[in-house]
Amino acid sequence: MAMMPKRVKYRKSHRGKMKGHAGRNNYVAFGEYGLQVLETAWVSGRHIEAGRIAATHFLKREGKVYIRIFPHKPISSKPLETRMGKGKGETDYWAACVKPGQICFEIGGVPEDVAKTALLRVSHKMPIRCRFVKRRHTI
Amino acid sequence: MGKTFLLKAEVRTKTGTKDAARIRKQGRVPATVYGHKETPTSLSLDAHDFVQGLHQGHRFMEVEIEGKLEAMIVKDLQYDHFGRNVVHVDFMRVDVTERVKVQVPIELKGVAKGTHEGGIIEEHATRVEVECLVANIPEKIVVGVKDIGVGDVLHAGAIELPDGVDLVSPAETLLVTCHLKAAAISAEEGEIEEEPATAGGPEVITEKKTDESSAG
């Protein structure tokens, strides 16, 4: 089942703006390899779940998969063949707002080639362009 | 690794976001140098030379500022949002005979015994803090994991450090564990089992409060 919050303060939210780039969560923090988002988008809980399944099935329960994004934002939509008006539609799905630079998935405990293939499979499930990154050289 | 790396730097008179951006466009990196109770100075370095030195594992650098050589260590690095380019460098003035505290990356070597017994190796820390002479800063610390079986743990206190290098991180810092894959499986299943709790949609906190007020 797709990811969604357990408790929220408000049932619906405004669309909001997604300006700029990821000022944080933009480096591999938990695993050794990661998948970095290159575009701005709403990534739905279903996309995230599909990515998780793609990675875990490929890894055959080796290593560890970390999901760095969570769908906090309710996205509403109106039912088909409904006239405009009569208030905001009901929540259709939950999405994570991602910006360029954000790390969405991480993998640790497996060799680089395995992680690369697994994350490539994950990237095919994402609605945006992504790239494979390694842990950054830090001091 | 080669212990010193020579760099040429220019003193920056203009500071701030716009001037820093202008410097970056010229293929240079803004930097600052501090330490030894002297006034901090803003510098700019050639980006290509600096990154090359960094990738060769140099932490200790000799920087020529206005014809004067100064010994420094790279204290901090800032990257852009894609993690591709270094956008700012912090240098700390040091004396060659001085002992400094630095974070050194750990490299795991070998195949753990536990992986043949159905376990997986999990790395909990990637760096340890050590104290050593400026000239002896190790590029990395190689940790052998050959003898680690399922259920075994490796703490920072158990690793072998090069001569003249002392551990600063707490000895009980967890570095590596080896656990059965089964544990990972059950955790995954547990995660899946938890999910139907939110099947009817999330609980709305504010809505609950209005219900209570209307009831009262």
Side-chain angles (χ1 to χ4, degrees):
Chain A
M1 197 187 156
M3 294 162 81
M4 68 168 76
K6 282 182 183 163
R7 295 170 81 215
V8 289
K9 195 164 182 183
Y10 302 107
R11 191 176 289 279
K12 295 167 190 175
S13 80
H14 290 180
R15 292 177 68 88
K17 299 273 184 199
M18 288 189 288
K19 292 191 286 186
H21 48 71
R24 54 188 174 178
N25 301 328
N26 56 13
Y27 59 91
V28 179
F30 300 99
E32 289 147 43
Y33 309 100
L35 194 69
Q36 192 177 46
V37 169
L38 299 176
E39 292 170 10
T40 303
W42 285 341
V43 179
S44 73
R46 282 187 180 187
H47 286 127
I48 301 169
E49 182 63 12
R52 187 191 70 83
I53 291 168
T56 49
H57 279 202
F58 180 75
L59 293 173
K60 291 180 185 132
R61 286 157 180 177
E62 276 188 14
K64 197 164 181 179
V65 179
Y66 301 87
I67 302 171
R68 296 282 307 275
I69 51 175
F70 187 83
H72 287 287
K73 188 179 177 64
I75 308 296
S76 63
S77 68
K78 282 183 175 284
L80 290 173
E81 297 179 5
T82 312
R83 288 184 182 274
M84 289 297 107
K86 309 290 177 200
K88 194 171 169 73
E90 287 306 310
T91 301
D92 187 15
Y93 63 96
W94 292 81
C97 299
V98 297
K99 292 178 180 182
Q102 166 99 46
I103 302 292
C104 56
F105 279 84
E106 285 183 26
I107 288 177
V110 290
E112 188 181 339
D113 55 335
V114 177
K116 201 168 187 173
T117 318
L119 289 173
L120 180 73
R121 282 166 177 252
V122 176
S123 75
H124 289 149
K125 303 290 179 192
M126 294 289 116
I128 38 175
R129 284 190 304 126
C130 301
R131 72 176 186 131
F132 175 77
V133 285
K134 289 184 210 171
R135 190 178 272 277
R136 180 192 290 178
H137 188 287
T138 49
I139 294 295
Chain B
M1 70 174 180
K3 296 300 172 201
T4 58
F5 182 75
L6 281 172
L7 264 180
K8 276 188 180 177
E10 287 172 15
V11 175
R12 275 191 297 150
T13 48
K14 288 180 181 175
T15 54
T17 311
K18 281 184 181 176
D19 287 297
R22 215 167 282 149
I23 284 166
R24 287 184 201 113
K25 270 189 178 175
Q26 293 164 3
R28 298 183 72 78
V29 187
T32 185
V33 57
Y34 46 78
H36 280 189
K37 293 180 181 172
E38 289 181 38
T39 51
T41 316
S42 299
L43 307 172
S44 76
L45 313 157
D46 185 79
H48 179 260
D49 290 351
F50 174 75
V51 172
Q52 206 174 28
L54 205 65
H55 286 173
Q56 286 166 5
H58 293 283
R59 184 78 59 87
F60 174 51
M61 298 184 178
E62 284 194 352
V63 185
E64 191 184 322
I65 308 166
E66 294 176 337
K68 196 180 144 195
L69 267 182
E70 282 195 57
M72 300 172 188
I73 57 165
V74 181
K75 190 72 179 165
D76 195 20
L77 284 174
Q78 287 174 31
Y79 288 87
D80 67 348
H81 62 286
F82 280 128
R84 285 172 176 156
N85 305 316
V86 176
V87 292
H88 191 268
V89 188
D90 274 22
F91 282 111
M92 192 172 80
R93 290 187 190 94
V94 286
D95 196 358
V96 185
T97 55
E98 199 178 328
R99 284 178 77 82
V100 287
K101 287 177 185 174
V102 285
Q103 296 268 352
V104 180
I106 298 165
E107 190 182 281
L108 302 184
K109 195 181 176 187
V111 180
K113 198 171 66 182
T115 54
H116 302 302
E117 299 162 3
I120 53 171
I121 282 281
E122 198 171 339
E123 204 177 343
H124 293 269
T126 53
R127 290 181 293 170
V128 285
E129 193 175 12
V130 294
E131 189 176 354
C132 59
L133 281 176
V134 171
N136 294 342
I137 299 173
E139 192 184 333
K140 61 191 173 191
I141 293 169
V142 180
V143 179
V145 291
K146 240 189 330 186
D147 301 328
I148 296 180
V150 174
D152 289 351
V153 293
L154 185 71
H155 293 105
I159 59 173
E160 279 181 30
L161 295 170
D163 291 339
V165 178
D166 299 326
L167 186 74
V168 177
S169 298
E172 61 272 15
T173 306
L174 190 61
L175 299 183
V176 179
T177 56
C178 184
H179 55 81
L180 279 175
K181 284 175 195 171
I185 295 163
S186 63
E188 195 180 300
E189 282 168 358
E191 199 179 295
I192 293 161
E193 280 167 14
E194 278 174 20
E195 280 172 2
T198 56
E203 176 196 346
V204 182
I205 304 164
T206 48
E207 203 172 62
K208 206 174 179 182
K209 277 178 189 170
T210 54
D211 287 345
E212 280 168 9
S213 63
S214 64

